[in-house]
Structures are given as C-alpha cells and as structure tokens.
Amino acid sequence: MFFGRRSVTHTALTLVLLLAAASGRAEATEPTPFSEVFAQLATKLVGVVVNISTTQATASSSPKGGTEAQLPAPGAPLDEFFRDFFGEKGANPSAPRAASLGSGFVIDPSGLIVTNNHVIANAEQITVTLSDDATLQAEVVGRDVVSDLALLKIEPKAPLTAANWGDSAKTRVGDWVLAIGNPFGLGGTVTSGIISATARDIHSGPYDDFLQTDASINRGNSGGPMFNLAGEVIGINTAIFSPSGGSIGIGFAIPSAFARPIIDQLKATGKVERGWIGAHIQPVTDDLAEAVGLDKGRGAMIGAIDPASPAAQAKLQPGDVILAFDGKPIDRSRQLPRLVADSAPDTLIKLSVWRDGKDQEFELKVAALNPNRLAPPPPEPEKPKPPPSVDALGLKLTKLTAELRKQFSLPEAAKGVVITEVPQNSPGAAQGLRPGDLVVAVGHEAVGSLEEVQQKVAAAKKNGRKNALVRVEREGNTRFIALPFEAG
C-alpha cells in the first residue's frame, strides 16, 4: 500500500522519526510527533545560520560572481531557467548597492562562516548578521570559484554556536532535510522537504555532483545549510531551477562530502590545490564499450593526453578506458575529474585501465593543476600514405591532399585520412560526422593511409567485434566513436 508524503500514517512516521531524529545516538522512550521533530531541530539549528549582505561597486554578469550564479554552459537546455537566489535582471550594473545577498553558517565558534563564492563576489564590504541581530564585518579567509565556495571570518564577542558536518555520501533519495536561510532577506526561514535526487550534473562546472531537493529555497538561501534529521550539514544550498525566479521545488546543494575538504583547504591555506594527470576523457557509451570489448558502458575513455603530463609519463594511450582510480571504481566518466582533483599533488595512484581487451594496471604520480596552463597542441598521427579513395564503415575516405586541405580549411599540420562523404541516415551521420573530418586512428593505432584503415577494420572484425573504434579529429579536437562494420 502506498501513501503520499504528507499522508503517511502517524504510526509510520513515528517509526521513521524515532530513528531519524535520534540518529542512532539515543533510544526514545515515547513517540515523537512529526511536527515536534522539526520544531526541535529548528530551535537548535537556526542560531548557526547567518545573513550575509555586501556592498558592491558593480554587479558582475559572471556565472559565479554577482547577479547570475551557477548557470549551465551557454546553449544548455536549462540555461534560461537557472537563477541564483538574489538580484534582479535589469539592475543598473554601475550603481553602488547594499543588498541582502544570501546566507551562510558558522562552522567554528571562533567565527568561521561558510557561504557560496557568488554571494560575496565583487564585494567591497561584507556584513554578517547573526541570529540575535548583531552585525559584524567579515573578512574573506579564502574562496574557490570552481566549487563556488567561500570561507569568511568574523570576530564575535563570545563563542558562537557552530554547525556539525554530516556525511552526504550516506544520504539517500527520499531522506528528509531542512533548509535554513534568508530568502528575500527574511532571516531565519526554515523549510523542509526530501532529497529528490543525488549526483546531479547541472553543467555549472567540471565537478558537478549536486544534491537535489524539493525543500523550498529561494533568492537569499544561497550559501545556507541543508540539514539532515540528525541536525548535521549535508549540503550547501547553491542553485535553483526556476522559470520565474521563485521556488518550484527543484533546488540544488553542494554535498558536504565535496565541500568539507575544500573548506578545510581554505581554512589552512586560503586557497584550493587540485590534482591533475593530463588526460582528456569522454563517456563510454555501450557502442564504444562493445568496440573495445568491455561488458558494458562504464569507465572513462581517454580521448587525448597532454605532452609531458603524468598520464603521458605513465604511458597511458588515447583509447584506454580508466575503470578505477586509486581503487575507486569509475561507473560514470564524470566521477574521474573529481577523484583526480581531490588527489594531493605528488601522490602515487594506481589505475585500472582497459586496453587490448583486458584489464591492466598502471601507476602515475599526480601533479598540481595549473589553471593558467595553455591548451596543448593536437596530437599528430603518423604521416599518411597516398592511396585512392575507398568506402569504409559507411564513409567515403580519401587521401589528404593540398586541394582537400584548401577545400576543408585544414591546417598544414593535419594528418590522417579525410572524410569526403557521409551518407544521409548512416551511422556516421548519426554520430555527427561531416565532410572534412579526419580519421586519425582505428582502435589504439594511428592510421596514415586508407590501406591502414582497411587493415585495422578487418582485424577488428576478425576479432568478433560488431563495431570499430574510430578516432576522429575536427578543428584540432579529437574524439572516439563506434561505427558498425555492416555500414561499410
């Protein structure tokens, strides 16, 4: 028998809340009414939440810094609907303003406060209002634009009540949560809801892994805490999905498991240092998995490797599929960037890599990420040989000549064989291929002639594959695709 969330019987709620409210720490002697659990939590927790206002000279239009925050990449389907929790479109960008921008919460009695970076971006002065209406000026201890987190410091007259971190990794879809913040400048507002989803990617950055909730959060909640029923912070409210700018029950929070190590780094050094291995990755679809002999689409396929990077020194290759990083399985490709970023520089890491139809182990030393590092030049496959045009894998492939370079505006350094025809409704067309694209490798091996393409395709087909793994280059960028042999 199924019940709505708000029509669960008192008996069922009592059983759930006896466990949740006590969080395994104590045995309740009497049933706790559902409303009483929230009232007790609110009374206990509202004091750790603060209001943050700033004086700004200008309002930035940067996705992480001002009137727009946590927007997806330009052109993404949800682009026009993601909004932060403060500010109005059409405001005079050059006019000085003092606005109640968002929320934060105390993590140390000495006056350390966590909030979002976009809440205090471009601020000339930051004012923190405590739950007792006391106002104090805050200094920035450190900030991290990539994760949209910031750590502030105030000097209170007496020790403050601080929040406790929880473990978001233990959070389940359906768990009850409380959000406390200052929507529209209304201080100390408490709302409740459930975790609607985990590991959400809203295209706001390379490490997206948000908790989604239906707890009502609006402009001004940004930077405020999301609590579980044990009174622990499991998320930092950061973004909403809203056509109108108000809450429609879809909000996103940075998980505590991701935020806490970053806050610890900001507290210790005022900045965040991330790991880097120099491997450019792409998702492994089921077709790509079949083409390389994997049981299913999993892991992260290496599309390109930076010269002199840890990945290059470990002799990783384009086409390798990283299945595990430091013993942690990679089920989705976007898990890998976070694991790499969380690794301390100079750490030796073991990788489980799928190559040539088997799982192999590699070891590399993680380097420090340099955010100002220039993009490496595209890889150069072997010099092509001049064969005639052929039909292979449903594509017309032709030797790269001076005339074709001019026709397709290809640089002199371009290598490989050029696609000169992509039939309509073909697998190649479905993959977005077009005339002028270069085939630079089949499988793990570079191809420099049409003969080599045919040889590699024949070898893969002989091994019982249904699809050939093809590496294609366009405008200096490479990616792998799987093309069925039947199309050739």
Side-chain angles (χ1 to χ4, degrees), residues 123-174:
E124 292 185 341
Q125 181 175 291
I126 303 172
T127 302
V128 171
T129 303
L130 303 178
S131 60
D132 61 1
D133 293 330
T135 59
L136 297 167
Q137 299 305 305
E139 298 293 334
V140 178
V141 176
R143 62 173 73 193
D144 181 46
V145 175
V146 176
S147 64
D148 195 22
L149 291 171
L151 183 64
L152 307 179
K153 180 69 169 71
I154 59 175
E155 299 295 340
K157 295 180 179 180
L160 302 176
T161 302
N164 294 317
W165 289 106
D167 186 0
S168 60
K170 298 179 180 179
T171 300
R172 305 167 302 171
V173 173

Side-chain angles (χ1 to χ4, degrees), residues 2-231:
F2 295 95
F3 298 92
R5 177 157 56 87
R6 304 192 186 279
S7 61
V8 180
T9 63
H10 176 78
T11 301
L13 286 172
T14 300
L15 291 174
V16 172
L17 292 172
L18 281 174
L19 296 175
S23 187
R25 294 188 177 92
E27 294 184 1
T29 58
E30 296 181 0
T32 303
F34 193 50
S35 59
E36 183 64 20
V37 171
F38 285 120
Q40 291 177 1
L41 284 173
T43 301
K44 173 185 175 182
L45 300 174
V46 72
V48 307
V49 182
V50 302
N51 178 292
I52 298 176
S53 60
T54 69
T55 300
Q56 295 177 314
T58 60
S60 170
S61 59
S62 167
K64 297 278 187 172
T67 58
E68 297 290 340
Q70 294 291 350
L71 302 184
L78 305 183
D79 190 8
E80 63 178 302
F81 296 122
F82 275 97
R83 298 292 182 265
D84 67 330
F85 310 137
F86 60 89
E88 295 290 344
K89 283 190 172 182
N92 183 354
S94 62
R97 62 189 180 98
S100 179
L101 295 182
S103 307
F105 58 98
V106 180
I107 62 165
D108 189 282
S110 66
L112 290 176
I113 294 170
V114 173
T115 187
N116 283 139
N117 177 65
H118 75 256
V119 169
I120 51 94
N122 304 316
E124 292 185 341
Q125 181 175 291
I126 303 172
T127 302
V128 171
T129 303
L130 303 178
S131 60
D132 61 1
D133 293 330
T135 59
L136 297 167
Q137 299 305 305
E139 298 293 334
V140 178
V141 176
R143 62 173 73 193
D144 181 46
V145 175
V146 176
S147 64
D148 195 22
L149 291 171
L151 183 64
L152 307 179
K153 180 69 169 71
I154 59 175
E155 299 295 340
K157 295 180 179 180
L160 302 176
T161 302
N164 294 317
W165 289 106
D167 186 0
S168 60
K170 298 179 180 179
T171 300
R172 305 167 302 171
V173 173
D175 283 348
W176 281 92
V177 292
L178 265 70
I180 304 180
N182 305 286
F184 305 106
L186 301 172
T189 298
V190 181
T191 58
S192 66
I194 63 168
I195 295 294
S196 306
T198 60
R200 281 294 195 218
D201 181 2
I202 64 173
H203 309 291
S204 70
Y207 311 118
D208 278 14
D209 196 31
F210 289 94
L211 299 174
Q212 180 181 327
T213 182
D214 68 348
S216 179
I217 52 179
N218 290 279
R219 295 175 180 178
N221 280 99
S222 189
M226 176 189 289
F227 295 100
N228 59 20
L229 292 192

Side-chain angles (χ1 to χ4, degrees), residues 171-380:
T171 300
R172 305 167 302 171
V173 173
D175 283 348
W176 281 92
V177 292
L178 265 70
I180 304 180
N182 305 286
F184 305 106
L186 301 172
T189 298
V190 181
T191 58
S192 66
I194 63 168
I195 295 294
S196 306
T198 60
R200 281 294 195 218
D201 181 2
I202 64 173
H203 309 291
S204 70
Y207 311 118
D208 278 14
D209 196 31
F210 289 94
L211 299 174
Q212 180 181 327
T213 182
D214 68 348
S216 179
I217 52 179
N218 290 279
R219 295 175 180 178
N221 280 99
S222 189
M226 176 189 289
F227 295 100
N228 59 20
L229 292 192
E232 301 167 330
V233 177
I234 59 168
I236 301 170
N237 301 318
T238 298
I240 59 174
F241 172 67
S242 174
S244 63
S247 174
I248 60 169
I250 303 179
F252 301 95
I254 302 171
S256 61
F258 175 62
R260 187 175 182 181
I262 293 175
I263 296 301
D264 288 343
Q265 286 195 59
L266 293 178
K267 180 179 178 181
T269 66
K271 61 181 181 179
V272 176
E273 190 173 57
R274 292 183 168 87
W276 173 74
I277 63 172
H280 302 263
I281 62 170
Q282 66 180 82
V284 181
T285 64
D286 288 339
D287 286 343
L288 287 176
E290 196 282 333
V292 299
L294 266 176
D295 55 344
K296 61 180 181 179
R298 58 190 175 99
M301 177 172 283
I302 299 177
I305 293 176
D306 291 347
S309 66
Q313 294 170 2
K315 301 193 182 304
L316 296 178
Q317 301 174 3
D320 287 345
V321 179
I322 299 177
L323 299 179
F325 182 89
D326 196 26
K328 301 177 180 65
I330 307 297
D331 297 318
R332 304 181 307 276
S333 61
R334 62 188 178 92
Q335 292 175 295
L336 183 60
R338 279 196 55 193
L339 292 173
V340 173
D342 290 343
S343 301
D346 297 325
T347 302
L348 281 175
I349 297 294
K350 290 185 178 180
L351 302 177
S352 176
V353 176
W354 185 262
R355 179 191 291 179
D356 297 330
K358 59 184 178 180
D359 198 343
Q360 304 182 39
E361 189 172 277
F362 291 79
E363 188 176 74
L364 56 73
K365 181 180 288 188
V366 177
L369 174 65
N370 177 8
N372 299 318
R373 178 180 53 87
L374 297 176
E380 296 186 4

Side-chain angles (χ1 to χ4, degrees), residues 434-445:
R434 65 192 187 197
D437 289 345
L438 293 170
V439 174
V440 296
V442 176
H444 295 286
E445 299 183 35

